[in-house]
Amino acid sequence: MTEISLTATETPAAFPIPTGVFAETVTEVQHYTDRLFRFRITRPASFRFRSGEFVMIGLPNAEKPVYRAYSIASPSWDEEIEFYSIKVPDGPLTEHLQKIREGDTVLMRKKPTGTLVHDALLPGKRVYMFSTGTGIAPFASLIRDPETYEKFDEVILTHTCREIEELTYGENLVRELLEDPLVGEMAAGRLRHYATVTREAYHQTGRITDLMRSGKLFEDLGVPPITPETDRGMICGSMAMLHDTKQALEEFGLVEGSNNKPASFVVERAFVD
Ligand code: A2P
């Protein structure tokens, strides 16, 4: 891996912007914990994406920059692009990315892609968005997209983290969304946020897979158990979480869909190593 040690703030003329890549300016950075942060960059006028998609991002700190897939956390109508990231000690990208400041440059490949999109899901009454950790990012985009509320009567966002402080991004997101003049009215009374932690005492604890299998998730929400007739699912988290949540949904009779063949649930791997 070609990478030299410059801080994220240095953009040496020796490394020109590669072709097929946008060079965008950081507009905001917010750190939540020593493992989590969010940042926003300017949006190129020609950049179009579907809410829920991901894009490859990197830093201009090497001749061959390291790129990683990041879900776009902002909705497709937003003027800026938002990302929510983990900080991996010695991670080839995040080691540098976590140091970015307002005014720095971030590279973004031009082509977004992904399966956590409306096109891959059949319409239904209720959509569940199952996330762990930074896997909430694509749903931060989708729950701010009016199409979500056109397609589904109820939107249930589940977010499970190890510790309570890791829930902050999702809590702020939902609160601010409900105050938003464009989407707030649409989401009111229809967006439910179900947050749990697994390694601390909290009013809701446990892995989402266990809460589904025991039925506690449905009891807490006051909804019937998942059925393929009414319910749809979207999953984003670690590889293990994706595997186990997919299995749980299949036990409820849901079928995995794709862009070419929409069905009742979709899965996305949550970036960054
Ligand atoms: P747990 O604390 O029981 O491992 P991670 O940071 O490892 O990605 O975990 C984020 C959250 O996802 C944690 O609350 C973790 O629970 C949970 N989790 C990890 N693996 C799975 C899995 N296979 N199925 C469901 N939840 C999982």
Side-chain angles (χ1 to χ4, degrees):
M1 183 120 16
T2 318
E3 196 174 1
I4 59 162
S5 65
L6 289 172
T7 68
T9 49
E10 292 169 272
T11 310
F15 300 131
I17 304 306
T19 51
V21 167
F22 294 114
E24 296 304 311
T25 306
V26 176
T27 57
E28 194 184 333
V29 184
Q30 185 179 2
H31 293 267
Y32 294 93
T33 68
D34 56 3
R35 288 182 63 234
L36 294 167
F37 71 114
R38 139 190 116 95
F39 61 97
R40 292 173 73 85
I41 61 171
T42 50
R43 178 173 178 171
S46 63
F47 182 67
R48 295 274 170 275
F49 67 99
R50 295 177 295 173
S51 296
E53 286 190 313
F54 66 82
V55 72
M56 306 300 290
I57 66 170
L59 287 170
N61 62 351
E63 197 171 344
K64 286 197 176 155
V66 174
Y67 288 92
R68 289 286 179 265
Y70 269 78
S71 288
I72 300 171
S74 44
S76 50
W77 49 261
D78 203 334
E79 284 168 14
E80 294 182 337
I81 306 282
E82 179 170 315
F83 298 103
Y84 181 48
S85 179
I86 195 158
K87 305 172 194 177
V88 184
D90 302 323
L93 176 62
T94 63
E95 178 195 5
H96 303 291
L97 192 65
Q98 65 182 279
K99 296 178 195 144
I100 54 168
R101 301 220 185 113
E102 212 180 303
D104 288 349
T105 300
V106 168
L107 305 179
M108 181 170 78
R109 288 223 178 110
K110 292 192 173 175
K111 209 178 153 357
T113 185
T115 52
L116 287 188
V117 291
H118 282 306
D119 295 345
L121 272 190
L122 296 170
K125 173 177 163 58
R126 189 179 294 122
V127 63
Y128 285 88
M129 299 177 178
F130 297 104
S131 68
T132 54
T134 53
I136 194 173
F139 304 135
S141 176
L142 282 159
I143 62 170
R144 291 185 274 186
D145 186 334
E147 191 183 345
T148 299
Y149 302 94
E150 283 158 20
K151 198 161 171 180
F152 300 101
D153 295 338
E154 282 177 48
V155 179
I156 297 169
L157 170 66
T158 84
H159 190 206
T160 303
C161 294
R162 295 178 184 194
E163 292 168 8
I164 296 165
E165 66 172 0
E166 297 169 324
L167 298 174
T168 308
Y169 177 81
E171 284 165 354
N172 293 352
L173 168 78
V174 171
R175 193 183 51 245
E176 285 163 22
L177 181 157
L178 292 172
E179 290 164 4
D180 182 278
L182 179 66
V183 197
E185 212 170 296
M186 253 188 286
R190 297 167 63 196
L191 171 66
R192 319 265 310 263
H193 180 207
Y194 187 85
T196 75
V197 298
T198 47
R199 302 198 187 183
E200 262 188 306
Y202 191 55
H203 65 273
Q204 267 153 350
T205 55
R207 289 185 171 197
I208 200 66
T209 39
D210 295 335
L211 294 163
M212 262 196 273
R213 287 205 174 97
S214 69
K216 185 164 188 315
L217 172 67
F218 313 117
E219 272 166 42
D220 287 347
L221 292 168
V223 298
I226 291 176
T227 78
E229 283 71 42
T230 52
D231 298 307
R232 304 290 172 257
M234 301 178 115
I235 315 173
C236 194
S238 64
M239 288 304 280
M241 179 274 191
L242 298 183
H243 173 270
D244 293 353
T245 312
K246 173 181 152 91
Q247 202 169 42
L249 290 187
E250 285 170 345
E251 286 166 20
F252 286 107
L254 270 56
V255 173
E256 185 170 358
S258 66
N259 275 284
N260 301 333
K261 199 164 178 270
S264 45
F265 78 92
V266 282
V267 178
E268 192 86 274
R269 194 177 104 68
F271 40 94
V272 174
D273 55 344

